[in-house]
Amino acid sequence: MSGPHPRAFVVGHPIAHSRSPLIHGHWLAAHGIPGSYERLDVAPAAFPDFVRGLAASGYRGGNVTLPHKEAAFALADGLTPRAEKIGAVNTLVVGPDGRIRGDNTDAPGFCAHLDQSLGADWPARAGGTAVVLGAGGAARAIVVGLAERGAARILVANRTPARAQAVAALAPGIADAIAWDDLPAALSEAGLLVNTTSLGMKGQPPLALDLAPMPAGAAVADIVYAPLETDLLAAARRRGLAAVDGLGMLLHQAVPGFEAWFGLRPAVTPDLRDRIVADLGG
Ligand code: ATR
């Protein structure tokens, strides 16, 4: 790569908790790339000027986290079709012409994680029905990702039903909203269950769900990664179901950004995972 050392960032408010500098720092060191990945705290009022100033900043782009994902969507000069659909941007890339492209890498990140954990034929598991719990930004990305990968049917359940309907509308003809009370029947035909709610996260109530109706051979994925082993995943293991933790999505969503800014597609390796697990406190 010619020119000055490539620089990228993660921007949020607050930003101290972000693990992205650890992930990208690991890859920069592993590949001997003389670039940098910086943590930037930018308040919401200053974010529009931050994005407008990017072309002249010398940054090649960066990751966007809370609370700026929707603002980044509105401020980018162009969007990938995926980001357009999801309505939120977590990755910005400064083009050679100075235009800022917004992408959402949560969807391919989640799917790449399932590929690595379950094998690439996961969309066909148990007839291809996936049940998604929750209807926030993560659920939007995951429903778009599952539909892109050919899930035959997606059922979305959420505490607030109207939000589940809005998420299901992202995959017309494939996704439907269902009532939380209808989960036992939905689970009986589900090859994949994904928790995108904050239930099970440290400091939150556990997700209490009876997995008994799920068919043998089904998989359960949680996007919560603190703790790594949620009550939901423990229950899945006890039933002999495949259990997929939330850390992989965090690692895999970082891959497309690194490739765009630093010119090399990095791998999600066990040593990277171990490093983040150690940082999370075991
Ligand atoms: P994100 O963007 O990370 O997905 P979010 O938009 O805050 O986060 O969404 C959190 C999800 O967890 C929502 O689906 C929320 O349900 P509501 O849409 O009804 O708010 C769900 N959630 C959070 N706390 C919950 C609780 N105690 N019981 C059930 N669902 C809960």
Side-chain angles (χ1 to χ4, degrees), residues 150-191:
R153 194 160 147 73
I154 304 170
L155 302 174
V156 184
N158 191 48
R159 175 178 62 179
T160 310
R163 296 188 78 203
Q165 279 160 20
V167 172
L170 293 170
I174 299 169
D176 282 303
I178 58 164
W180 197 273
D181 287 347
D182 292 337
L183 276 173
L187 290 181
S188 70
E189 52 184 274

Side-chain angles (χ1 to χ4, degrees), residues 66 69-70 133-140 157-164 167 180 195-199 201 204-207 223:
L66 298 179
K69 290 185 180 189
E70 282 79 20
L133 307 177
R140 294 178 69 85
N158 191 48
R159 175 178 62 179
T160 310
R163 296 188 78 203
V167 172
W180 197 273
N195 174 44
T196 78
T197 75
S198 44
L199 293 171
M201 208 180 271
Q204 298 288 323
L207 172 58
I223 70 157

